[in-house]
Amino acid sequence: MKRIAFLMVAVATLAGVVAFTAPASGHADEEASPIYGVKIPAGYRDWKLIAVDHLLVADRVDQLRAQLGNDIAIKAFKEGKVPFPDGSIIAAIHWTRVPSEDNNKVLAGPFPGALSFVVGSPVNVQFMVKDSKKYAATGGWGFADFKDGKPGDKALHETCFACHTPAKDRDYVFTRYAP
């Protein structure tokens, strides 16, 4: 019974992630990220889903996150290809997580005590772009972080590669393809 309740909450969360898309034009003519020069790829919200996760840092961060990939990245994920080929792009969309009163009412009967959460306000969108020559100094990846369509500052982008270094064995990619 607990497994069914967990699955229903997971499905409701995923449905919320897919259904709620925060405004962002996704036009390639927007500002580029500092250091790497990465722009928001046109049409990235239509890319295929790689995975969904939940990040919780006590008293600081409570986010639902979806990772999407362009066709090159999706093919590499499916084939388990590491390193990722040049042209791979991974997008990570982050939202706050909020309780869903509507879902909780529906779940209360069959699953007493179940709690459902859905996406809240948008936090940011991040990108990893694989170009082994252009970004040789950072493992072949260029990074970008955007909030409301505007790139974060240089100091923020200086932390990207160091953060991904623990995932070096997976070509600096934390995300794993969800079955």
Side-chain angles (χ1 to χ4, degrees), residues 5 9 103-104 107-108 111-116:
V9 170
N103 289 353
N104 290 341
L107 294 170
F111 305 104
L115 297 174
S116 176

Side-chain angles (χ1 to χ4, degrees), residues 7 9 13 18 27-28 31 52 57 112 122 125 146-147 154 158 163:
L7 288 173
V9 170
T13 299
V18 172
H27 292 218
E31 294 180 57
V52 175
V57 179
V125 60
F146 294 88
K147 183 172 179 129
K154 183 178 177 188
E158 287 172 341
C163 184

Side-chain angles (χ1 to χ4, degrees), residues 55-63:
L55 175 64
L56 180 63
V57 179
D59 299 323
R60 290 189 24 215
V61 177
D62 191 353
Q63 294 178 358

Side-chain angles (χ1 to χ4, degrees), residues 103-161:
N103 289 353
N104 290 341
K105 287 176 190 173
V106 171
L107 294 170
F111 305 104
L115 297 174
S116 176
F117 297 88
V118 296
V119 296
S121 59
V123 175
N124 64 349
V125 60
Q126 299 173 337
F127 297 95
M128 290 179 69
V129 176
K130 185 68 181 251
D131 184 326
S132 56
K133 290 179 183 157
K134 184 175 183 180
Y135 305 118
T138 52
W141 290 99
F143 300 90
D145 184 290
F146 294 88
K147 183 172 179 129
D148 297 326
K150 302 288 182 197
D153 63 17
K154 183 178 177 188
L156 172 66
H157 285 85
E158 287 172 341
T159 67
C160 295
F161 182 61

Side-chain angles (χ1 to χ4, degrees), residues 34 37 40 51 56 63 66 84 101 110 112 141-142 169 171:
I40 297 174
L56 180 63
Q63 294 178 358
F84 284 79
E101 296 301 323
W141 290 99
D169 292 346
D171 196 22

